[in-house]
Amino acid sequence: MLNELLDLSTALDKAGIMRYEWHKDLKPLPNASDKRPCCRIFIGIDGSVTSIEPMKQETVAQLRKWERNNGDSFPRV
C-alpha cells in the first residue's frame, strides 16, 4: 500500500498535478543517512524475507511515518 502511494506521488509530479499539504500526523523519516540507510524489505508469498536493499536518499526524503504523538509512530524508527 505504501509503495503504491509513492508511485501515485511520482505520477502526480510528472503530470504537473498539484496536491494538498501532508496530513499533520504524517512526519518525515528522521535520521536517514548513508551511515543509517532506510531499507526496503521484500517478502515472499510464504511470508519469508526474500531480499533487503538500501533505498536511495531521494526516495527516503519522500517517505513519511504516521506519528500521532511524539514517540508513538508507524513504522517505528
Side-chain angles (χ1 to χ4, degrees), residues 28-74:
L29 295 178
N31 305 324
S33 68
D34 289 334
K35 291 185 179 185
R36 294 186 65 196
C38 286
C39 293
R40 182 176 294 155
I41 301 171
F42 295 87
I43 300 175
I45 294 173
D46 63 352
S48 64
V49 174
T50 58
S51 67
I52 300 173
E53 66 181 38
M55 297 174 69
K56 295 179 181 176
Q57 286 299 112
E58 306 86 55
T59 303
V60 174
Q62 297 176 26
L63 299 178
R64 299 288 185 268
K65 65 177 181 169
W66 182 261
E67 183 174 39
R68 299 196 74 178
N69 302 306
N70 191 20
D72 181 21
S73 65
F74 178 83

Side-chain angles (χ1 to χ4, degrees), residues 9-22:
S9 176
T10 302
L12 290 172
D13 287 342
K14 287 181 181 177
I17 299 172
M18 301 300 292
R19 54 190 176 273
Y20 297 102
E21 296 289 320
W22 287 99

